[in-house]
């Protein structure tokens, strides 16, 4: 299978500032003329005679640029777009797209499938959502730095239904060198961690990620993170971050992220941008956008992704203050059994946020806005999908005690949903021109095989953007929404040759019925496949045809700038 140096081809990437400016102005109509000129060309590299590999006939092409959609045929050969317009030549395979929207393939900028693509590679729920490219790695790669090259090579060799790239995590480097405690690492240890980041970059990581609300990353200082990010900057990679706070102190967290990018010379990717603090709804989100705009105007490529839901989904153990984990998870759980310790923890939850701990319960507005996902415990399995307050009433316990007893019983990290965001803030954030879409979910395999209780974003995130925020609410135009799922993330992540339907680009395509598309999955019944996604094509090969999955595995590994330098 082709390696990533083929995906980072000589096709000139769209200028990111020009694209995002046009989208912010409500559309990129100025690009239509240049697109039409490209379409009129027979397509660079197209064979002079004979059929194309695939022709998509008669759809409404929304090409990813932000320009108005137009009716056209799309021809593909050799895995790339070769003609857009009135295609006279036939295809070895043809798709009738009349009445459907033909879009560039959708890009998940915050995927959690690093292990799943290695184990199965089928794409599962991701393909069903219309996705063709996944960018993973919030928690890093599923292998240490010295195995990243082999991990990516295995993905190439074994095949995937999607394109895939990943970050390497600062937490991985810290655990490998200094463990998971809160102890400050020495200068020599920090240098050793930075060497691991450098090794991962040369192996193909897109950059370095952090998840700063979770130990041990929560114990890392800004200065330490800058040193670890310097190798990323040398290769012109990206610093991606689940910021230290997304609630009351989110503005400080944005300043930290921007400061790290500036000091280390990296791009900055902010994961799942949100104002997760009920008292700050309607206030914080605007200032967050202005901070990022100012940094971008100053020359730093800062961008973000988001998911369109009022609830975050993460571990139930995040309801426990971070200081409890300073000596590791086992010691924290031992302390959590102590009634005196619990009394102190309850007081801290009631007190509100701390600079070193995001208080999800306080930010959501109380335990009645926290819902149990999967407890990973037979004792508490019957409570899936219930509010913590209702579980506590059923058990005759205080809500905090009910939650922490579930944490103690978990065989792996129990999950929960925290209803901390407002719909108005979601609408505001969706309009930021540099925002992309990220599911914050891994591959799942649908009714009958999915035994969990996932966040509905696992099945509905991307169709929801079109169904809810374009068709029903009209927050975005269809062209703007498609750009946020295609050309905007491709430009910000420097995925050359992807994100737009134009001759020369890799032929990733999502074809859907605008009238029917819907996310379907809900918090009450999350394991439901979306409707309206008709066909999905990856590098010119269909991975779903007429709503049926194909066995094809045409995906490519998307290696980062360090691999090219190496």
């Amino acid at each position: 299978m082709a390696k990533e140096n083929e995906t980072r081809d000589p096709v000139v990437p769209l200028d990111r500032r020009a694209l995002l400016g046009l989208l912010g102005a409500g559309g990129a109509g100025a690009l239509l003329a240049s697109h039409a000129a490209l379409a009129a060309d027979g397509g660079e590299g197209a064979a002079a005679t004979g059929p194309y590999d695939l022709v998509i006939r008669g759809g409404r092409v929304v090409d990813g640029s932000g320009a108005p959609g137009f009716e056209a045929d799309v021809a593909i050969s050799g895995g790339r777009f070769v003609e857009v317009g009135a295609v006279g030549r036939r295809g070895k395979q043809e798709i009738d797209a009349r009445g459907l929207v033909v879009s560039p393939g959708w890009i998940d900028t915050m995927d959690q499938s690093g292990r799943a693509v290695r184990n199965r590679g089928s794409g599962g729920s991701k393909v069903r959502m219309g996705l063709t490219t996944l960018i993973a790695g919030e928690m890093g790669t599923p292998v240490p730095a010295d195995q990243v090259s082999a991990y990516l090579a295995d993905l190439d060799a074994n095949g995937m239904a999607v394109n895939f790239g990943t970050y390497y995590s600062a937490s991985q480097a810290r655990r490998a060198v200094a463990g998971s405690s809160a102890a400050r690492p020495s200068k020599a240890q920090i240098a050793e961690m930075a060497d691991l980041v450098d090794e991962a970059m040369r192996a193909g990581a897109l950059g370095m990620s952090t998840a700063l609300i979770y130990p041990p990353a929560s114990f890392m200082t800004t200065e330490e993170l800058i040193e670890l990010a310097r190798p990323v900057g040398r290769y012109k990679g990206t610093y991606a971050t689940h910021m230290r706070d997304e609630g009351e102190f989110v503005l400080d967290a944005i300043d930290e992220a921007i400061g790290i990018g500036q000091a280390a010379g990296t791009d900055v990717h902010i994961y799942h941008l949100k104002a997760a603090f009920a008292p700050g709804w309607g206030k914080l989100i605007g200032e967050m956008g202005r901070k990022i705009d100012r940094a971008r105007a100053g020359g730093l490529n800062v961008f973000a992704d988001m998911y369109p839901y009022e609830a975050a989904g993460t571990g139930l153990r995040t309801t426990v203050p971070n200081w409890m984990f300073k000596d590791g998870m086992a010691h924290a759980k031992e302390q959590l059994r102590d009634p005196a310790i619990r009394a102190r923890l309850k007081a801290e939850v009631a007190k509100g946020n701390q600079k070193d701990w995001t208080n999800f319960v306080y930010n959501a507005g109380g335990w009645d806005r926290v819902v149990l996902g999967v407890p990973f415990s037979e004792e508490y399995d019957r409570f899936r999908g219930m509010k913590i307050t209702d579980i506590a009433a059923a058990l005759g316990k205080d809500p905090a005690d009910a939650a922490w007893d579930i944490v103690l019983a978990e065989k792996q990290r129990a999950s929960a949903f925290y209803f901390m965001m407002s719909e108005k803030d979601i609408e505001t954030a969706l309009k930021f021109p540099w925002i992309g879409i990220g599911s914050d979910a891994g591959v799942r395999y649908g009714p009958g095989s999915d035994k969990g209780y996932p966040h509905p974003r696992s099945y509905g995130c991307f169709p929801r953007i079109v169904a809810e925020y374009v068709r029903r609410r009209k927050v975005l135009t269809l062209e703007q929404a498609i750009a946020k799922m295609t050309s905007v993330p491709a430009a910000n992540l420097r995925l050359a040759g992807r994100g737009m339907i134009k001759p020369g680009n890799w032929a990733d395509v999502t074809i859907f019925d605008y009238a029917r598309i819907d996310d379907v999955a809900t918090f009450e019944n999350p394991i439901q496949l979306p409707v309206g996604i008709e066909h999905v094509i990856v590098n010119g090969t269909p991975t779903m045809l007429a709503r049926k999955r194909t066995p094809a595995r045409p995906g490519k590994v998307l290696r980062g700038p360090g691999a090219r330098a190496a």
Side-chain angles (χ1 to χ4, degrees), residues 37-249:
L38 284 168
D41 187 331
E44 185 178 359
T49 59
Y52 290 125
D53 291 341
L54 174 65
V55 176
I56 303 166
R57 298 283 183 188
R60 177 187 174 191
V61 176
V62 179
D63 65 8
S65 71
F70 53 94
E71 187 173 311
D73 305 326
V74 178
I76 297 167
S77 277
R80 296 179 186 266
F81 299 116
V82 293
E83 189 176 354
V84 182
V87 175
R89 286 157 52 189
R90 63 186 179 84
K92 296 175 185 175
Q93 184 176 17
E94 298 207 351
I95 293 175
D96 183 355
R98 287 174 295 179
L100 303 176
V101 176
V102 179
S103 158
W106 297 347
I107 300 171
D108 190 341
T109 57
M110 198 202 173
D111 169 72
Q112 301 282 8
S113 302
R115 294 185 184 279
V117 293
R118 186 186 199 187
N119 296 336
R120 296 179 67 167
S122 69
S125 58
K126 300 293 183 170
V127 175
R128 293 286 186 181
M129 273 199 284
L131 289 158
T132 61
T133 297
L134 313 181
I135 304 298
E138 178 199 19
M139 307 309 291
T141 57
V143 297
D146 63 355
Q147 296 177 31
V148 171
S149 180
Y151 163 69
L152 296 178
D154 285 347
L155 295 181
D156 265 336
N158 296 330
M160 304 171 289
V162 290
N163 304 309
F164 179 82
T166 184
Y167 294 104
Y168 174 79
S169 170
S171 292
Q172 289 180 269
R174 184 179 173 109
R175 287 192 184 98
V177 174
S180 295
S181 77
R184 292 288 298 273
S186 67
K187 288 185 178 180
Q189 287 176 314
I190 291 173
E192 189 176 349
M193 293 179 212
D195 286 342
L196 292 178
V197 174
D198 185 88
E199 184 172 16
M201 289 297 295
R202 287 184 285 110
L206 299 172
M208 183 186 81
S209 64
T210 58
L212 295 177
I213 70 163
Y214 303 116
S218 59
F219 305 135
M220 300 175 80
T221 66
T222 304
E223 293 72 25
E224 183 180 340
L225 293 169
I226 289 171
E227 292 306 312
L228 266 61
R230 290 194 191 281
V232 179
R234 285 198 295 272
Y235 296 115
K236 306 301 181 187
T238 301
Y239 169 66
T241 181
H242 178 151
M243 296 185 296
R244 207 175 293 274
D245 192 271
E246 296 175 323
E248 187 171 0
F249 306 118

